[in-house]
Amino acid sequence: MTNHKNDGSENIHTDFSSRMTYGEYLNLDELLSAQNRLSPHHDEMLFIIIHQVSELWMKLTLHELHAAIEAIRKDQMQAAFKMLARVSSIQKQIIQAWDVLSTLTPSEYMEFRDHLGQASGFQSYQYRMIEFALGYKTPHVLKIYEKDPELHHRLEEAYRAPSLYDAAIEKLSDSGFPISKKLLDRDYTQLYEKDSSVEAAWTNVYKDVEQYWDLYQLGEKLVDIEDSLQQWRFRHMKTVERIIGHKKGTGGSSGVGYLKKVLDHRFFPELWDVRTNI
């Protein structure tokens, strides 16, 4: 017979008649009842959960990115570095999710694909908000969300807000680098384009790491995030190709063709060019 007297279990709380439980704190009843299959096919559960988990990670990514932008603008660099490092760790989780989804074969997916209608990951508003927070502003996607005025308003606010890279460029200017005035006063809704004054500033940072240690760390944190995002995009593209080939996406996009095209975009171009300059 097992002796439980000294195994540490004697102090475990078992009476929760007037106390909050783990499940109540996490709203597990609501969370675990949100996987509503539209088909009887076994593998649709995998498809739903992978996307729901990814959306939860994206929620945390946005939480950290917005806080990091604010911290940089307040010159709280160590706090910003911690948040950006956390984003990079989150990205590893989201990238690995494609390995699980890729266990779904083309034949299995076709069993329930028609039930999705026009619903598509292309419509993920949190992913769009992450793109906006990183400076990739694409106005045409806002139309997708007009069905929900409150959500549309949130996206418009994110679309007009300064990005993480805008905050980094302001930091370069505050540190004494001669950043172009038109760039500092720019319309944040416009897609960022490479600027020679920013390139010169980052080149100087990377040539004198000891003097500009905080800016150097910031640059590397940004490169980490873009690198991981591009890995996520690549794994997305290859997983889609593996499951549906070159069919159109359920949302009407060209599928693999569209996903290959967005791989060409660079979020922080000068930070990649500095590798050649130094």
Side-chain angles (χ1 to χ4, degrees):
M1 180 180 293
T2 303
N3 185 351
H4 295 289
K5 289 183 179 180
N6 298 314
D7 65 1
S9 63
E10 65 274 8
N11 294 319
I12 292 177
H13 295 295
T14 57
D15 181 4
F16 287 93
S17 56
S18 59
R19 293 170 176 165
M20 178 177 65
T21 65
Y22 170 82
E24 288 169 337
Y25 174 67
L26 295 177
N27 291 317
L28 285 184
D29 285 347
E30 182 178 358
L31 184 66
L32 298 179
S33 62
Q35 294 73 46
N36 301 310
R37 288 184 290 170
L38 299 180
S39 78
H41 198 269
H42 170 85
D43 296 295
E44 189 182 355
M45 183 65 75
L46 162 69
F47 191 80
I48 292 171
I49 289 177
I50 285 292
H51 287 86
Q52 288 182 340
V53 169
S54 294
E55 289 290 338
L56 285 172
W57 282 127
M58 283 191 269
K59 181 173 183 175
L60 183 55
T61 295
L62 286 166
H63 178 71
E64 300 296 337
L65 285 176
H66 292 154
I69 291 170
E70 189 68 21
I72 292 168
R73 302 185 93 181
K74 290 181 177 179
D75 199 32
Q76 298 170 348
M77 301 305 290
Q78 294 305 312
F81 296 155
K82 175 65 181 298
M83 296 163 188
L84 295 176
R86 182 173 290 162
V87 169
S88 293
S89 294
I90 295 167
Q91 288 176 302
K92 293 175 185 176
Q93 297 294 321
I94 297 181
I95 290 168
Q96 290 177 347
W98 294 120
D99 293 337
V100 183
L101 186 59
S102 66
T103 65
L104 183 68
T105 69
S107 300
E108 290 165 346
Y109 181 51
M110 293 309 295
E111 290 288 337
F112 62 85
R113 187 180 193 239
D114 287 346
H115 291 272
L116 303 181
Q118 279 71 56
S120 165
F122 183 84
Q123 298 146 16
S124 168
Y125 69 84
Q126 289 199 122
Y127 178 70
R128 296 303 173 189
M129 292 179 79
I130 290 172
E131 287 188 329
F132 291 171
L134 296 179
Y136 187 50
K137 305 293 182 73
T138 47
H140 65 277
V141 302
L142 291 172
K143 188 171 180 60
I144 297 171
Y145 311 100
E146 289 178 348
K147 178 181 179 180
D148 185 336
E150 183 179 346
L151 175 58
H152 188 261
H153 177 69
R154 284 175 57 200
L155 280 153
E156 278 197 321
E157 284 189 331
Y159 175 67
R160 299 182 188 283
S163 71
L164 177 63
Y165 202 42
D166 290 316
I169 291 170
E170 288 175 10
K171 185 64 180 172
L172 288 172
S173 177
D174 292 343
S175 300
F177 290 104
I179 303 298
S180 170
K181 189 176 186 302
K182 68 175 183 180
L183 188 59
L184 295 172
D185 297 334
R186 78 186 193 91
D187 179 357
Y188 295 131
T189 66
Q190 299 302 303
L191 187 64
Y192 179 79
E193 294 183 2
K194 179 180 169 181
D195 182 90
S196 59
S197 66
V198 174
E199 184 173 359
W202 283 124
T203 300
N204 285 325
V205 167
Y206 276 75
K207 283 183 175 179
D208 195 347
V209 172
E210 289 188 11
Q211 182 177 352
Y212 301 113
W213 180 250
D214 277 358
L215 291 171
Y216 173 67
Q217 285 192 87
L218 177 59
E220 286 300 285
K221 290 288 188 290
L222 297 182
V223 168
D224 287 343
I225 287 172
E226 178 167 349
D227 191 352
S228 292
L229 183 62
Q230 293 294 53
Q231 290 183 50
W232 182 91
R233 283 175 158 182
F234 179 79
R235 289 293 293 120
H236 184 190
M237 181 269 292
K238 294 306 292 183
T239 303
V240 169
E241 185 175 22
R242 176 171 178 160
I243 295 175
I244 68 168
H246 289 264
K247 295 185 181 76
K248 279 191 174 183
T250 50
S253 75
S254 59
V256 169
Y258 170 80
L259 296 173
K260 283 183 176 179
K261 183 178 178 180
V262 297
L263 280 169
D264 292 333
H265 176 75
R266 296 196 302 174
F267 290 85
F268 317 129
E270 296 89 354
L271 282 167
W272 294 100
D273 291 341
V274 76
R275 270 83 182 146
T276 305
N277 297 341
I278 60 175

